[in-house]
Amino acid sequence: MPAVLESLVEIRHFVKEAANRARIEDSRAYQLQLAVDEIATNVILYGYKDAGEGAVISISSEANGDVLVIILKDQSPPFDPRAMQMPEAQNLARPLEERKIGGLGIFLAIQGVDRFEYRHEDGSNLNIFEVRSGHD
Amino acid sequence: MAFDISVKQGSDEAIIKLTGELDAAVAPKLKETIEKVAEAKPKRLVFDVHELGFMASAGLRVLIFAKQKMGAGVTLYVIGSQGPVLNTLTMSGFHHSVILQDAYKPIE
């Protein structure tokens, strides 16, 4: 789909449907939607900052037993979200007027899933999200 | 669900009701609303999120923007946050700076 912010609704919808099919527990499904939304937002706003029209982002899912894997793929310059410095507890406790704006999205993304992985393969960024169903 | 904003502005406070899904695509709309609301210099900025089904970090950044734009003198309230939206607020440490309430009750 086109790498524009208007695609975020469709991206979240895709994740929600995949989570329903994989019987992922509701709060985990929400965290997964948030995680994918945050990374996709980052790709669209920063990864493809200098890209013209025609930039695309694609999404796919795989269910293995009680694990759901979502893969976001794009061709913007290589960027490993795990390399971003995470906000520290100290900064998170700061009054809002003293806070730096930024880093929160990736923090929420990585915290919100059971496993987050990044690979760069054949010119593409692969952001890989894994959640377990959460049912016993 | 599409994102929607409605504003009730009084002399001391502005109540901004958010419905639907607040992501990076629509966050600028909320930012514009806050800029307008800020002109009346309210003492309390109240976000009613009872009917907000999704909030990304773009929404959190707008709250930070509001506080930085309006200064430490304004108190931010978030009303009716529950489940995942509340979880996002607390994970990000916003419960330290924002008054979280189930129903709006000014505390000053």
Side-chain angles (χ1 to χ4, degrees):
Chain A
M1 58 190 93
V4 293
L5 291 175
E6 287 68 29
S7 295
L8 290 172
V9 172
E10 198 181 330
I11 288 172
R12 290 197 300 275
H13 183 73
F14 179 94
V15 175
K16 196 174 184 179
E17 295 281 302
N20 281 346
R21 282 195 304 274
R23 298 183 58 247
I24 305 293
E25 188 253 317
D26 285 354
S27 67
R28 289 174 160 265
Y30 179 94
Q31 294 300 330
L32 178 62
Q33 278 189 78
L34 178 63
V36 176
D37 177 280
E38 294 291 354
I39 298 294
T41 297
N42 229 55
V43 168
I44 294 164
L45 288 181
Y46 305 110
Y48 280 131
K49 184 163 56 91
D50 301 318
E53 281 176 39
V56 291
I57 186 163
S58 60
I59 187 166
S60 60
S61 71
E62 256 172 58
N64 305 312
D66 73 338
V67 176
L68 174 64
V69 183
I70 299 281
I71 302 170
L72 262 187
K73 187 172 172 182
D74 69 85
Q75 287 75 44
S76 69
F79 174 72
D80 183 349
R82 296 170 306 180
M84 274 283 288
Q85 204 187 347
M86 291 291 117
E88 291 162 2
Q90 206 185 351
N91 186 53
L92 290 175
R94 282 224 175 114
L96 298 189
E97 56 270 28
E98 293 170 15
R99 276 201 184 198
K100 289 194 188 118
I101 298 183
L104 265 179
I106 290 174
F107 167 75
L108 291 173
I110 294 177
Q111 296 290 311
V113 292
D114 292 317
R115 189 156 160 257
F116 176 79
E117 207 187 306
Y118 167 84
R119 288 205 297 270
H120 193 259
E121 270 176 24
D122 304 325
S124 294
N125 291 302
L126 300 176
N127 287 289
I128 303 159
F129 309 79
E130 256 187 53
V131 287
R132 281 183 288 278
S133 70
H135 299 292
D136 293 328
Chain B
M1 195 165 91
F3 180 64
D4 197 33
I5 305 173
S6 66
V7 179
K8 256 200 290 184
Q9 192 140 15
S11 52
D12 282 347
E13 69 199 9
I15 301 178
I16 301 177
K17 185 171 166 59
L18 308 175
T19 42
E21 303 191 344
L22 173 50
D23 64 11
V26 297
K29 220 168 115 181
L30 178 57
K31 202 173 157 187
E32 271 172 40
T33 303
I34 289 169
E35 279 173 334
K36 268 187 230 150
V37 160
E39 287 167 17
K41 300 197 183 345
K43 293 187 188 121
R44 295 180 291 272
L45 192 56
V46 183
F47 295 92
D48 179 343
V49 300
H50 276 104
E51 288 170 38
L52 190 66
F54 177 85
M55 184 177 64
S57 66
L60 298 175
R61 278 194 293 277
V62 176
L63 291 185
I64 295 178
F65 165 81
K67 190 76 180 175
Q68 294 184 345
K69 162 126 193 135
M70 300 172 78
V74 67
T75 311
L76 258 55
Y77 291 73
V78 175
I79 308 304
S81 66
Q82 47 201 333
V85 171
L86 176 61
N87 185 38
T88 302
L89 286 165
T90 49
M91 254 174 85
S92 315
F94 278 52
H95 54 299
H96 297 299
S97 299
V98 167
I99 296 168
L100 299 173
Q101 292 179 335
D102 291 333
Y104 176 48
K105 196 172 163 234
I107 54 167
E108 288 137 309

